Amino acid sequence: MRRVSIQLQVNNKSVKAVCPANATLATLLREHLGLTGTHVGCDTSQCGACVVHLNGVSVKACTVLAAQANGPEVVTIEGIGSDKLHPMQQAFREHHGLQCGFCTPGMIMSGIDMANRGQATTEAEVRKGLEGNICRCTGYHNIVQSILAGAGKMQSGEGA
Amino acid sequence: MADQSIGQRVLRKEDARFIAGKGRYTDDINLRGQAYACFVRSTVARAGIASLDLTAAESVEGVIAVLTGRQIAEDGLGTLPCGWMIHSKDGNPMKQPAHPVMAADSVNYLGEPIALVVAETYQIARDAADLVVVDYDEKQAVSDVTLAQAHDQLYEEVPRNTVYEWELGDREATMAAIEGAHHVTRIKIRNNRLIPNAIEPRAAIADFNPATEDLTLYVTSQNPHLVRLILTAFIQLAPEHKLRVVAPDVGGGFGSKIFVYSEETALSWASRRLGMAIKWTAERSESFLADAHGRDHYTEAALAMDDEGHFLGLHVKTQANMGAYLSTFASSVPTYLYGTLLAGQYKTPAIYVEVDAVLTNTAPVDAYRGAGRPEATYVLERIVDVAAGEMNLSPVEIRRRNFITNFPYATPVALEYDTGDYVQTLDRVLELAEWSSFEARKAESESRGKLRGIGLSCYIEACGLAPSQVAGALGAGVGLWESGEIRFNPTGSVTVLTGTHSHGQGHETTFAQLVSDRLGVPINDIEVVHGDTSRLDFGLGTYGSRSIAVGGSALATASDKIVEKGRKIAAHLMDTSPEEVDFEGGVYTARQSNLNKTIQEIAFAAYVPHNYPEGLEPGLAEKAFYDPDNFTFPAGAYVCEVEIDPQTGVVTIARFSAVDDFGNIINPMIVEGQVHGGLAQGIGQALLENCVYDSNGQLVTGSYFDYCMPRADDLPSFQVDLEVTPCTHNPLGVKGCGEAGAIGSPPAVINAVANALGVRDFDMPATPEKVWRAAAGS
């Protein structure tokens, strides 16, 4: 397999890596950069456990080739709350929006993206927005509450 | 302290790492120099293996070894055991085929492991696995549970492909009740096959150390000690004291991570054989193919009633699909976890249940959230609803007439319920669901061209399978107690070790709350440790909603021992007798002098015993093994309201209300979360999820494109509430809450769908096509 060298910004740090040309962004993050907060839960781009932000927009890291991410800015779950928790992280904790924690990074990253797009204002909107994220533990009830609350906090600047 | 005590909504300690992406799941662990494994899996459901050609795979650069089932057999490894012996009606022990770690001569389900490729990278292993050539001698497979007994024999040792023909209850009394009844309601019903789909795929890393001959296995398990026991006692992989099993953060289990599978067994063997660490992580496709599936029953049932709708007798005859081999606890699921639950909340005087467990060319079927109890509840709560219709009684009234109201109550199917208040639970849910104003909502739906239906389900659950002696008499291969240990550290913090395992349940918080409440130590000074056989003596893990009732009770007992030992030390330091010392809120007080000592001071004194009671051992650490006297019996009542678009057949859950009685509650926030999750899985089964094999045993639903997982917009927000009748036989009065939602909800949904459509029978899942057809026909 041909190897490619990649340079990109991950969580505000400039990083370089050499990886196989067919490596996904998820593989790059997990295997080459040791950022294991981005999880892989399926092989068909359905579960959303691997959602990260690429140039500020949520993408499934299993669906983007590492080579495609050459240059841009990637933010993962490890990069959203520097000194203190991001308001969306806080909301997930306060509203019991997670159980086993495996889908959680993807849920939080999707939630932030929805809030950034102003599409986390009603329960129906959040439920629709979570179309690409599967959780098997929570029944989504508390995830929806968390995202609504987190988006509210982001809006008001609280905890940011 | 008050905000951390039992009954408070304490935020979870474990969340700190999970929300930051700092959980440590098996696939997050990488060992220096590890190799990677990929399994070669059967592409057909039933075949002899005529030949296996490894040449091309072995010649790939970077491949370290290609190992086969035959080599495992030659190395003298055992086969994968089923840990529960069931006897048939005729007294004969169940018949089971040997379950090889990897297939050697024949394959019996799609995805069965045949060979293991070990390579320098996963990519190389995966590419090389594709080059292994298997020459299959294909035979006609069978996948449908109702066709298995008439199909040609899959294994020489299992005639009629029937593992056992089990029975429970009084046949004669039940048949007599049916014969003489005013009315008999009969149903034929399927419980659809499910694939568990924990979002973390199974994974393992086996690390054999040739110098010490120690083997460490990291594995996605709900019960690491059980894995160690089985790998040692049945598979002879390594002596128990040389085997360490670690189940780190585990991303959901729902039963599927209880079992000892081929993959971690083969990987451990390969690690020992090659003398290197090897890692395997399942792709989701492998989870679909090779995780143990759930449910898959076909049942015919008859309920006999008098002219007022009082139940007189219930006869249930079930065929249960076991898949191609008996998984670790498979045999117990359609028997002692199913037949025993068929009394439900009702005082039916005579019950007789027969279960034929059959083998098919499908993945093994074993416990999945609820395990037997959802199947029993589905049969019972469907037939009760159909009976209500036939007797011209409302679903509420027929249940009220038959509720058990006096406790303890011995059922005709071997259980003794200790406590409950089914009338109160029902009343509460009817209020929560606004049952009485349903007709108005129905009229409103109809004005928009929609159908609306309401469904009720009253379930009983049995948790914390016990006591060990009884379980043993019924065929269990293990004890069913739990262990707990509490260690005060000299500086006053507390390490709590539990034999249960948390993979989403929040034990690190709930158990800390429990111990904090008992010992008066702040929660932040308490660390709950689980999931590593090297850190605690033994434990039986988490399944069957047992953790709080059995594991929590062990910790309560250990806490009490700590308090009593501390009392002796405190008495000595305060110059009085232990009988004169009170303990409350973490402080020992001498009744006479009013002197006091904190438990942390006592802990320090116990480790620095300069001034110490004569003859008392130093240290402040206590263990307890708790073997319950009985099961616990959570119960509840659920109401589901659906709206159906007859034009499209789409079913929308308009409202879902649940009232559960789990006994005393440690953390209501966590308990509600468990209910929500269970409800989603039960609603998923009722509306969306369905595992389909075709007649050749090919898996039709092998990805998230074909297997419909519940997503956020398929579900409503839930209305949940709790009723409390404390369990009478454990020190905490707790019952367990993990599975209830998945047990009680499927019949509530289908009763609602049937109500909306005005049909008597309707099988899960209520997909748009089936619903549309039914709506068009009505």
Side-chain angles (χ1 to χ4, degrees):
Chain A
M1 180 60 60
R2 195 165 73 84
R3 297 177 79 79
V4 290
S5 64
I6 293 160
Q7 182 163 11
L8 69 168
Q9 288 278 317
V10 179
N11 300 334
N12 279 325
K13 278 184 208 151
S14 180
V15 296
K16 284 182 187 173
V18 177
C19 61
N22 66 353
T24 64
L25 178 57
T27 304
L28 173 74
L29 293 169
R30 290 184 55 79
E31 306 294 329
H32 297 265
L33 304 178
L35 294 169
T36 56
T38 299
H39 296 152
V40 178
C42 76
D43 42 24
T44 52
S45 198
Q46 293 276 308
C47 80
C50 66
V51 170
V52 298
H53 293 169
L54 187 65
N55 290 334
V57 177
S58 70
V59 296
K60 289 179 175 172
C62 72
T63 321
V64 177
L65 288 172
Q68 288 176 283
N70 195 7
E73 198 171 324
V74 176
V75 178
T76 71
I77 187 73
E78 290 94 342
I80 55 169
S82 44
D83 293 340
K84 55 180 187 175
L85 292 175
H86 187 281
M88 192 61 76
Q89 289 172 306
Q90 270 176 19
F92 268 73
R93 174 144 200 264
E94 285 163 9
H95 294 268
H96 188 30
L98 62 149
Q99 290 182 23
C100 80
F102 197 81
C103 76
T104 310
M107 290 287 178
I108 291 175
M109 299 309 282
S110 290
I112 293 171
D113 186 54
M114 274 184 249
N116 284 340
R117 287 184 281 115
Q119 289 176 359
T121 58
T122 65
E123 178 179 336
E125 214 170 48
V126 172
R127 285 186 182 275
K128 191 168 184 310
L130 286 176
E131 201 174 27
N133 294 75
I134 301 176
C135 169
R136 194 53 151 170
C137 293
T138 65
Y140 304 98
H141 181 111
N142 287 340
I143 290 178
V144 172
Q145 297 306 315
S146 302
I147 292 177
L148 286 169
K153 284 184 187 195
M154 285 167 66
Q155 181 81 24
S156 66
E158 187 195 325
Chain B
M1 282 300 299
D3 65 332
Q4 301 183 336
S5 59
I6 283 181
Q8 299 302 307
R9 308 174 80 86
V10 175
L11 298 183
R12 299 201 323 170
K13 286 162 68 82
E14 45 271 81
D15 287 357
R17 63 179 187 276
F18 293 139
I19 55 176
K22 289 177 181 155
R24 191 164 179 258
Y25 302 87
T26 301
D27 189 58
D28 299 339
I29 297 168
N30 291 297
L31 304 180
R32 189 181 292 274
Q34 72 189 8
Y36 296 80
C38 181
F39 286 89
V40 177
R41 296 179 182 277
S42 175
T43 56
V44 298
R46 185 180 173 216
I49 298 177
S51 69
L52 199 57
D53 185 353
L54 311 177
T55 329
E58 284 171 333
S59 65
V60 173
E61 193 186 333
V63 167
I64 296 161
V66 183
L67 303 170
T68 65
R70 192 168 300 280
Q71 288 170 317
I72 290 192
E74 284 164 7
D75 265 8
L77 233 62
T79 54
L80 297 169
C82 175
W84 199 301
M85 174 51 71
I86 299 293
H87 287 80
S88 283
K89 291 171 192 171
D90 61 10
N92 283 321
M94 67 185 185
K95 299 183 173 65
Q96 51 179 324
H99 185 180
V101 176
M102 291 200 290
D105 304 316
S106 66
V107 289
N108 292 288
Y109 68 95
L110 185 81
E112 183 173 355
I114 296 172
L116 173 66
V117 179
V118 181
E120 287 165 10
T121 70
Y122 179 66
Q123 189 72 55
I124 295 171
R126 198 184 195 288
D127 289 346
D130 284 342
L131 300 176
V132 171
V133 181
V134 187
D135 186 8
Y136 296 108
D137 175 14
E138 268 195 79
K139 295 171 187 157
Q140 179 58 49
V142 62
S143 52
D144 188 312
V145 64
T146 62
L147 303 178
Q149 289 177 300
H151 195 82
D152 53 282
Q153 207 166 315
L154 305 182
Y155 306 95
E156 204 183 313
E157 55 273 56
V158 191
R160 293 178 60 240
N161 300 319
T162 303
V163 177
Y164 51 73
E165 293 172 297
W166 178 81
E167 66 177 351
L168 182 68
D170 189 333
R171 180 187 178 92
E172 273 175 41
T174 305
M175 296 311 175
I178 289 172
E179 200 121 311
H182 168 78
H183 180 73
V184 180
T185 293
R186 294 178 193 276
I187 59 168
K188 295 176 179 178
I189 198 166
R190 270 188 190 260
N191 200 292
N192 46 327
R193 185 179 180 112
L194 303 175
I195 304 180
N197 274 303
I199 301 300
E200 179 204 23
R202 286 192 290 120
I205 307 171
D207 181 19
F208 182 73
N209 179 339
T212 60
E213 299 193 333
D214 287 326
L215 177 69
T216 302
L217 174 66
Y218 299 88
V219 63
T220 47
S221 174
Q222 301 177 212
N223 32 238
H225 284 89
L226 217 52
V227 172
R228 189 181 66 166
L229 177 67
I230 288 173
L231 290 181
T232 294
F234 294 93
I235 303 173
Q236 290 93 37
L237 192 73
E240 210 167 355
H241 61 289
K242 288 293 198 185
L243 183 54
R244 174 184 172 206
V245 180
V246 183
D249 286 330
V250 172
F254 316 111
S256 70
K257 292 170 182 168
I258 297 172
F259 321 118
V260 175
Y261 286 94
S262 293
E263 289 85 358
E264 60 264 26
T265 308
L267 205 70
S268 299
W269 164 75
S271 174
R272 191 182 71 185
R273 191 178 163 107
L274 301 173
M276 58 170 58
I278 310 174
K279 179 175 187 173
W280 166 76
T281 302
E283 297 186 13
R284 178 57 55 184
S285 308
E286 295 182 277
S287 313
F288 277 102
L289 290 170
D291 284 6
H293 294 178
R295 319 284 191 253
D296 205 350
H297 284 194
Y298 173 74
T299 295
E300 297 185 3
L303 177 65
M305 286 162 286
D306 69 13
D307 57 355
E308 292 179 324
H310 295 113
F311 304 159
L312 305 174
L314 174 69
H315 179 211
V316 173
K317 178 126 183 48
T318 294
Q319 288 171 302
N321 196 342
M322 299 280 98
Y325 302 102
L326 295 188
S327 171
T328 315
F329 288 113
S331 54
S332 66
V333 176
T335 51
Y336 291 108
L337 296 176
Y338 170 71
T340 50
L341 272 291
L342 284 164
Q345 300 190 354
Y346 313 112
K347 49 191 177 203
T348 312
I351 299 174
Y352 177 61
V353 52
E354 301 169 88
V355 178
D356 290 1
V358 304
L359 297 171
T360 60
N361 299 111
T362 63
V365 178
D366 207 324
Y368 166 64
R369 200 169 194 167
R373 291 153 289 177
E375 294 92 315
T377 304
Y378 188 61
V379 169
L380 191 60
E381 289 304 288
R382 280 295 293 138
I383 201 168
V384 165
D385 244 47
V386 174
E390 292 179 350
M391 296 297 292
N392 283 318
L393 292 170
S394 79
V396 174
E397 181 55 28
I398 198 169
R399 287 175 169 85
R400 281 196 198 285
R401 286 189 189 182
N402 289 284
F403 273 156
I404 295 160
T405 49
N406 293 315
F407 296 89
Y409 175 82
T411 73
V413 276
L415 298 179
E416 186 176 288
Y417 302 166
D418 61 335
T419 180
D421 188 341
Y422 307 145
V423 176
Q424 175 73 6
T425 324
L426 175 62
D427 286 343
R428 298 256 318 263
V429 83
L430 294 178
E431 197 182 321
L432 192 64
E434 300 179 283
W435 181 280
S436 59
S437 54
F438 168 71
E439 289 303 328
R441 296 192 294 278
K442 184 181 163 93
E444 192 278 325
S445 291
E446 282 170 352
S447 74
R448 290 182 283 111
K450 304 285 172 65
L451 305 172
R452 199 174 184 101
I454 194 162
L456 171 65
S457 154
C458 298
Y459 76 89
I460 184 94
E461 183 180 4
C463 302
L465 190 57
S468 293
Q469 214 174 352
V470 171
L474 299 177
V478 292
L480 287 157
W481 46 266
E482 196 44 83
S483 76
E485 183 175 349
I486 296 178
R487 297 180 192 157
F488 258 99
N489 301 307
T491 54
S493 66
V494 175
T495 303
V496 173
L497 300 109
T498 173
T500 64
H501 185 275
S502 188
H503 31 280
Q505 295 89 340
H507 294 172
E508 290 168 40
T509 306
T510 302
F511 289 172
Q513 240 176 304
L514 192 171
V515 171
S516 167
D517 195 82
R518 291 285 245 236
L519 298 180
V521 175
I523 279 183
N524 288 341
D525 290 349
I526 300 171
E527 185 71 13
V528 175
V529 176
H530 59 94
D532 184 343
T533 60
S534 74
R535 297 221 41 199
L536 68 151
D537 302 346
F538 203 88
L540 288 155
T542 286
Y543 39 82
S545 307
R546 69 191 297 275
S547 298
I548 194 66
V550 192
S553 293
L555 289 175
T557 309
S559 300
D560 294 348
K561 290 185 186 177
I562 291 265
V563 168
E564 288 319 306
K565 182 168 182 184
R567 198 187 302 276
K568 290 178 191 162
I569 303 168
H572 174 83
L573 293 175
M574 297 188 293
D575 203 18
T576 182
S577 69
E579 295 74 32
E580 292 295 313
V581 174
D582 294 322
F583 179 72
E584 208 189 319
V587 179
Y588 290 98
T589 307
R591 223 167 285 149
Q592 303 288 341
S593 61
N594 220 21
L595 289 171
N596 58 58
K597 291 274 175 197
T598 65
I599 196 163
Q600 290 86 351
E601 289 175 292
I602 298 304
F604 187 79
Y607 288 99
V608 188
H610 296 164
N611 178 14
Y612 203 67
E614 206 178 308
L616 191 69
E617 284 178 40
L620 194 57
E622 295 287 350
K623 273 180 205 171
F625 288 74
Y626 180 79
D627 200 345
D629 293 335
N630 191 359
F631 287 87
T632 62
F633 297 99
Y638 292 172
V639 173
C640 176
E641 209 167 304
V642 298
E643 191 174 80
I644 293 174
D645 183 341
Q647 302 298 315
T648 62
V650 170
V651 179
T652 305
I653 306 278
R655 304 162 68 119
F656 201 104
S657 310
V659 175
D660 294 284
D661 178 358
F662 300 132
N664 291 333
I665 301 295
I666 313 283
N667 186 325
M669 177 191 82
I670 288 176
V671 168
E672 285 164 14
Q674 290 293 307
V675 175
H676 295 159
L679 292 178
Q681 285 176 350
I683 293 169
Q685 170 168 30
L687 294 185
L688 308 164
E689 296 179 44
N690 200 29
C691 169
V692 180
Y693 282 96
D694 72 10
S695 58
N696 292 320
Q698 285 291 326
L699 182 61
V700 177
T701 52
S703 83
Y704 285 145
F705 288 113
D706 314 297
Y707 186 89
C708 189
M709 289 284 279
R711 299 190 187 234
D713 59 355
D714 295 316
L715 298 168
S717 282
F718 306 111
Q719 297 170 286
V720 302
D721 206 352
L722 298 167
E723 167 72 19
V724 177
T725 62
C727 172
T728 60
H729 57 79
N730 63 43
L732 296 166
V734 295
K735 297 182 183 177
C737 66
E739 295 160 296
I743 292 171
S745 58
V749 176
I750 296 301
N751 286 343
V753 169
N755 177 253
L757 293 169
V759 298
R760 179 188 191 271
D761 300 299
F762 200 94
D763 269 338
M764 299 188 287
T767 55
E769 185 198 343
K770 272 157 69 179
V771 173
W772 179 83
R773 283 180 193 282
S778 63

